[in-house]
Amino acid sequence: MAVAAALAVIRARIAAAARQAGRDAAGVTLVAVSKFHPQASVIAALQAGQMVFGENRVQEALAKFPPLRAAWPDMRLHVIGGLQTNKALDAVRIADMIESLDRPALADAIARAADRAGRLPELLVQVNTGDEAQKSGVPRAEADAFITACRRRFGDAVRGLMCIPPAGQDPTPHFRHLAQLGARHGLAVLSMGMSADFEAAIAAGATHVRVGSAIFGHRPAAANRGVPASHLAAPGS
C-alpha cells in the first residue's frame, strides 16, 4: 500500500479509536516511525500531510531529516530509540523531542549537550513497565524518583512518559500503569502504542502513538543485517 493510502487508513483508525474512548481524535498525535526506511518514504508521508516522525538511530536521522526542514518547517522529529550518552549531543541538536530518557547518566549527557547546543528538546521519561532486563527504560520501582529528579533538573521540558509493553502480553495493564504514573506527576504526554496495539493505547489515554510498519511497510531486509535484536525490538513497529 502506498504511504499516503496507509496514512489515511491509520488516521481513520485513530479517529475511530478516539471516538470509541469518548476522546477527541485531535488529542492523539501520530508519530510516523521511519526507521530503516529511505528519505523518499518520509517525503511521501510529508506530502500526505504527516508532520511528526520518529527515528531510533541518531545517525540515520542526521542523514535523513535536516535537508527536509527547509521545505517542511513544521516537521517534528522524535528520537524514540534507546539513546547512548555519546549520541546525546547529536540528538539534542536534531530532535524536537527525545522520548527515551531513562537513566541518570543520560540525563547528565543531555544536560551537557543542551548547554553546548544552546537548546533543549522536549523530553519523555521511558518507563520499563514490564521490568524486562533486555529493554531500555527506568524500572517501575525507580520511576517516581527518576521522574521527580528529571522534572527538577529540566523543568517543563519534561513533557511526559513513554513505554513499550512486553511482547506477547496484554498491553492494556502497561498502558494503564503509565497513564496513572503520568497523572500522579501531572504529566500530560503519554507516548504508548504501536502498529499492533495503538487502539488499546488510545483507549487507555495515549496522546502519542508510534506507528511504523503499518505506514511504511516492513523494514527493508538489508537494513536489518547486523542490527542487534535490541534495536529491532525498539519502539515504533
Side-chain angles (χ1 to χ4, degrees), residues 85-90 92-93 108-121:
T85 56
N86 64 356
K87 300 295 184 185
L89 181 58
D90 285 337
V92 163
R93 284 173 170 161
D108 291 343
I110 288 173
R112 291 192 299 268
D115 286 341
R116 285 187 60 185
R119 70 185 302 269
L120 177 63

Side-chain angles (χ1 to χ4, degrees), residues 106-166:
L106 182 56
D108 291 343
I110 288 173
R112 291 192 299 268
D115 286 341
R116 285 187 60 185
R119 70 185 302 269
L120 177 63
E122 294 178 334
L123 304 169
L124 301 185
V125 171
Q126 181 176 351
V127 181
N128 188 344
T129 58
D131 284 333
E132 298 174 274
Q134 80 282 9
K135 191 173 286 182
S136 300
V138 60
R140 285 172 67 131
E142 301 172 17
D144 283 300
F146 184 66
I147 293 165
T148 298
C150 288
R151 296 195 75 191
R152 187 179 300 121
R153 184 170 203 172
F154 297 113
D156 291 341
V158 179
R159 299 293 311 282
L161 309 175
M162 185 267 263
C163 77
I164 312 166

Side-chain angles (χ1 to χ4, degrees), residues 14-35:
I14 288 172
R19 285 195 302 271
Q20 182 68 25
R23 299 179 56 194
D24 184 349
V28 182
T29 296
L30 171 61
V31 181
V33 179
S34 50
K35 63 182 182 184

Side-chain angles (χ1 to χ4, degrees), residues 29-236:
T29 296
L30 171 61
V31 181
V33 179
S34 50
K35 63 182 182 184
F36 303 134
H37 290 279
Q39 189 186 66
S41 295
V42 175
I43 292 172
L46 285 162
Q47 290 172 338
Q50 177 63 30
M51 288 292 122
V52 185
F53 295 86
E55 285 283 340
N56 281 41
R57 299 189 293 180
V58 175
Q59 290 307 113
E60 184 179 352
L62 282 168
K64 195 182 296 182
F65 283 89
L68 303 177
R69 286 197 182 269
W72 286 279
D74 294 333
M75 180 186 70
R76 287 178 56 83
L77 175 64
H78 293 203
V79 170
I80 62 174
L83 183 60
Q84 296 176 338
T85 56
N86 64 356
K87 300 295 184 185
L89 181 58
D90 285 337
V92 163
R93 284 173 170 161
I94 194 174
D96 298 292
M97 178 179 281
I98 295 172
E99 297 200 14
S100 48
L101 174 55
D102 66 349
R103 60 199 187 279
L106 182 56
D108 291 343
I110 288 173
R112 291 192 299 268
D115 286 341
R116 285 187 60 185
R119 70 185 302 269
L120 177 63
E122 294 178 334
L123 304 169
L124 301 185
V125 171
Q126 181 176 351
V127 181
N128 188 344
T129 58
D131 284 333
E132 298 174 274
Q134 80 282 9
K135 191 173 286 182
S136 300
V138 60
R140 285 172 67 131
E142 301 172 17
D144 283 300
F146 184 66
I147 293 165
T148 298
C150 288
R151 296 195 75 191
R152 187 179 300 121
R153 184 170 203 172
F154 297 113
D156 291 341
V158 179
R159 299 293 311 282
L161 309 175
M162 185 267 263
C163 77
I164 312 166
Q169 291 188 19
D170 179 1
T172 295
H174 297 272
F175 296 152
R176 288 176 177 167
H177 175 78
L178 199 75
Q180 291 165 2
L181 189 60
R184 189 154 69 240
H185 288 272
L187 294 170
V189 175
L190 298 172
S191 176
M192 54 190 195
M194 298 186 287
S195 291
D197 57 16
F198 69 82
E199 284 137 329
I202 291 170
T207 63
H208 290 63
V209 294
R210 308 178 305 271
V211 180
S213 59
I215 295 171
F216 296 108
H218 294 293
R219 306 179 191 98
N224 292 347
R225 296 188 194 124
V227 179
S230 60
H231 283 77
L232 295 182

